[in-house]
Amino acid sequence: MSLATKKVLVLNADFQAFGVCNVYRAFLLVFMNKAEIIIPAENITLCTVNRAYSVPSVIKLNRYINIPYKGVMMSRQNIFKRDNFSCLYCGSKNNLTLDHVIPRSRGGQSTWKNLVTACKSCNSKKGDRTPDEALMDLAYQPFKPSFVLFLKNFSGLNEESWRPYLEVGVH
């Protein structure tokens, strides 16, 4: 993995997951004494002409940043990630679209709990009906993921060193 694509977990001063940034941003935060390295990346260093620095895997901010609400933005891509890029009706991974569980024509909203990933075939088959009316079962009920749950399960970033900080209620 190149340094340009490597991600670093950023913790708030209370050790709660705050976000993810690239190595260069994390290194700058550490270099400017705004953060400290909690866990360095294994076998990776950032070299200058006369010094080698540890590349961080997890950093902690030195000052607590108050965030009133940290949620996951609802987007097409994030719904696909939540649903593992699979149709929730048949499991297909091809020709994916979004489907409103309760159709918009019946007052269904575009929310985390009403949007699911569906292949074009299942979306057409379901049409303007609910899954029950169309006799189609969902693999699971759609849900709004928490920020930490999204980082842990759906972001595609599976750093083993991050695991202790992404377990709910650990710190």
Side-chain angles (χ1 to χ4, degrees):
M1 172 179 285
S2 76
L3 286 181
T5 58
K6 179 156 178 48
K7 299 298 182 190
V8 177
L9 178 65
V10 180
L11 305 175
N12 213 336
D14 65 354
F15 286 88
Q16 294 297 310
F18 181 81
V20 176
C21 70
N22 64 39
V23 167
Y24 300 111
R25 172 87 174 135
F27 181 77
L28 189 60
L29 288 169
V30 171
F31 190 75
M32 295 174 60
N33 292 320
K34 293 184 178 199
E36 62 184 272
I37 297 176
I38 300 299
I39 300 175
E42 292 183 18
N43 304 319
I44 306 174
T45 55
L46 186 61
C47 298
T48 63
V49 173
N50 55 6
R51 185 153 180 219
Y53 297 92
S54 293
V55 169
S57 178
V58 178
I59 63 171
K60 179 184 75 69
L61 299 174
N62 290 332
R63 279 188 34 231
Y64 181 80
I65 306 295
N66 187 23
I67 303 172
Y69 171 72
K70 188 74 171 180
V72 179
M73 184 178 77
M74 188 184 74
S75 69
R76 178 182 190 86
Q77 202 61 22
N78 284 345
I79 290 170
F80 286 165
K81 286 178 185 177
R82 178 201 64 192
D83 296 343
N84 197 26
F85 294 92
S86 301
C87 174
L88 287 196
Y89 297 108
C90 72
S92 172
K93 292 188 175 280
N94 299 318
N95 299 315
L96 298 177
T97 63
L98 290 183
D99 176 53
H100 287 79
V101 177
I102 298 172
R104 285 190 297 181
S105 63
R106 296 188 183 189
Q109 302 293 309
S110 293
T111 63
W112 279 105
K113 294 184 176 185
N114 194 47
L115 286 170
V116 296
T117 303
C119 66
K120 287 183 179 178
S121 174
C122 287
N123 204 344
S124 293
K125 180 180 170 187
K126 180 179 162 283
D128 197 25
R129 299 176 290 177
T130 66
D132 288 341
E133 292 169 346
L135 301 175
M136 298 173 71
D137 294 326
L138 286 166
Y140 56 83
Q141 288 301 308
F143 61 94
K144 179 180 181 181
S146 70
F147 176 70
V148 171
L149 181 69
F150 194 80
L151 272 179
K152 181 180 172 188
N153 296 336
F154 310 118
S155 68
L157 304 169
N158 296 318
E159 295 281 338
E160 187 65 32
S161 63
W162 296 10
R163 182 168 290 163
Y165 303 101
L166 297 179
E167 299 295 330
V168 178
V170 170
H171 294 288

